[in-house]
Amino acid sequence: FDCEKCGEGLTCPALSQLEDLENGESVLGEKFTPKIQKGYYTTQTKPTSVFRCNSAVVCPGGTPGSCGGGLVDIPCSQCVEGETWTGSRCEECGAWRRVLWVVMLLCIFAFLTLAYYLTTSKVTAKATLLFATTASF
């Protein structure tokens, strides 16, 4: 047996082995199975390389490679292509989200255009700065 130091973020009971951590179970039973603590992440290929996560929600611990809310990557940092993080889980990007961005951009463009014409009209051309500013709103 080669001994590995049980680092931060790992729970290693007596008689546990690296193989048990990789498999997520021990032949000796649940009591002897090493686990990753909540708030930490390890990959399945290198289970002793521990990463600290921002939240225990996204890194629930347990077995190597476990991420919460549908997140992927190291350490549970992004959603798969075509999904977005909602604060608690990954959800598919709906068409309404794209439409909302387009509508917001159009509103900003319309506001800037309207503000330009209101501040450069004949009425406001000779007006004071205070009047021109209030007239544009």
Side-chain angles (χ1 to χ4, degrees), residues 8-69:
E8 180 183 359
L10 296 174
T11 302
C12 305
L15 302 176
S16 61
Q17 299 177 24
L18 179 59
E19 181 180 301
D20 298 338
L21 178 62
E22 292 168 348
N23 296 334
E25 60 185 13
S26 173
V27 294
L28 300 174
E30 183 70 24
K31 187 177 175 182
F32 297 98
T33 305
K35 296 199 182 305
I36 301 159
Q37 297 173 4
K38 288 184 178 184
Y40 291 89
Y41 174 83
T42 67
T43 63
Q44 291 176 327
T45 55
K46 293 184 179 180
T48 56
S49 296
V50 182
F51 298 91
R52 184 184 299 228
C53 297
N54 292 331
S55 164
V57 173
V58 297
C59 294
T63 58
S66 299
C67 291

Side-chain angles (χ1 to χ4, degrees), residues 104-120:
M104 295 231 345
L105 289 173
L106 290 174
C107 287
I108 291 170
F109 178 74
F111 171 76
L112 292 174
T113 303
L114 182 65
Y116 171 76
Y117 281 112
L118 286 175
T119 56
T120 58

